[in-house]
Amino acid sequence: MGGTFDPIHYGHLVTAEEVRVKFRLTDVFFVPSGNPPHKLDREVTHPEHRYLMTVLATVTNLFFSVSRIEIDREGPSYAIDTIAQFKSFAGEDVDLYFITGADAFLSMDKWYKADELLKMCNFVAATRPGYPIEKLDTRFSGFIEIVEVPALSISSTDIRGRVKEGRSIKYLLPEAVEDYIFKNGLYRD
Ligand code: ATP
Ligand code: MG
């Protein structure tokens, strides 16, 4: 499961857990992005902060771990390179699932080498409030499994806005991540 994870929240965690159980996955790797090509409009928090928050959020789940594959890669990060690297680590006989929320799939036409990427592994799109999955481009829909997750209309954007305005972020994300945000003064300005 890739993401900016700026910060990671319960929407990400619930989605990963639902998909893990549904497809009986042996491991879920969270892959914080290095230098996201589609998020050049705002300053993304330093990758080491995003990486550590993702580690803190996933320690309580035996099946979850965090990969530095994109953080440690130079230059812009593309999903297709990440999948290729996972495939070469895991070997050809391992079934890979790429997990994302519905919003990511709705913009799939803008992904780098989308058609090629879709042939490389399984794709799972999790439902997400506000992003009608029926609008998915039919060019891609045949390749993608849709998974209903208990709806959480939580976003990192909303959490950052709340911190900036001094509003509570309790119960939107794990407590350890909340503590990390305040300890390091993230999202204040
Ligand atoms: P931002 O608001 O900064 O874009 P975000 O909450 O969308 O943050 P990302 O790091 O962009 O989080 O998302 C990583 C992946 O998790 C994406 O595939 C996204 O669709 C999915 N995702 C994020 N929040 C949810 C949620 N509440 N329910 C389901 N999927 C989600
Ligand atoms: Mg997002």
Side-chain angles (χ1 to χ4, degrees):
M1 180 167 187
T4 320
F5 302 127
D6 193 11
I8 188 164
H9 55 67
Y10 283 130
H12 301 127
L13 295 163
V14 164
T15 298
E17 182 66 0
E18 284 295 302
V19 174
R20 178 186 77 77
V21 172
K22 175 155 185 185
F23 296 97
R24 300 167 192 256
L25 307 182
T26 51
D27 296 280
V28 177
F29 294 94
F30 289 75
V31 186
S33 57
N35 177 15
H38 61 288
K39 284 196 174 164
L40 297 176
D41 51 324
R42 76 172 178 89
E43 193 75 38
V44 172
T45 306
H46 194 283
E48 296 301 337
H49 280 315
R50 293 185 289 107
Y51 170 75
L52 284 174
M53 290 191 283
T54 308
V55 171
L56 288 173
T58 52
V59 281
T60 54
N61 191 318
L62 272 179
F63 302 95
F64 288 0
S65 32
V66 187
S67 163
R68 294 186 57 92
I69 199 168
E70 292 199 359
I71 289 178
D72 292 341
R73 187 184 298 146
E74 303 271 321
S77 237
Y78 295 109
I80 198 161
D81 300 328
T82 302
I83 295 296
Q85 255 177 295
F86 266 98
K87 270 180 109 86
S88 78
F89 293 151
E92 281 303 317
D93 50 341
V94 168
D95 249 351
L96 282 182
Y97 287 75
F98 190 108
I99 309 171
T100 78
D103 56 310
F105 280 100
L106 293 177
S107 62
M108 189 120 203
D109 55 316
K110 294 186 201 82
W111 286 25
Y112 183 63
K113 298 191 182 167
D115 294 292
E116 202 180 313
L117 180 64
L118 280 170
K119 293 184 200 122
M120 290 172 72
C121 66
N122 305 290
F123 280 81
V124 182
T127 55
R128 186 174 184 186
Y131 300 96
I133 201 80
E134 312 75 56
K135 294 225 174 103
L136 181 69
D137 191 328
T138 48
R139 189 156 65 100
F140 303 124
S141 52
F143 293 90
I144 295 166
E145 290 257 17
I146 312 281
V147 174
E148 288 269 345
V149 301
L152 285 179
S153 81
I154 302 175
S155 72
S156 305
T157 301
D158 176 60
I159 292 171
R160 292 190 301 271
R162 284 168 175 264
V163 174
K164 194 170 175 189
E165 291 162 14
R167 289 157 59 212
S168 173
I169 56 169
K170 269 202 184 309
Y171 317 121
L172 299 175
L173 74 183
E175 224 163 56
V177 179
E178 183 186 349
D179 290 345
Y180 186 95
I181 290 170
F182 292 121
K183 180 171 178 180
N184 291 282
L186 304 183
Y187 313 127
R188 277 190 313 213
D189 35 46

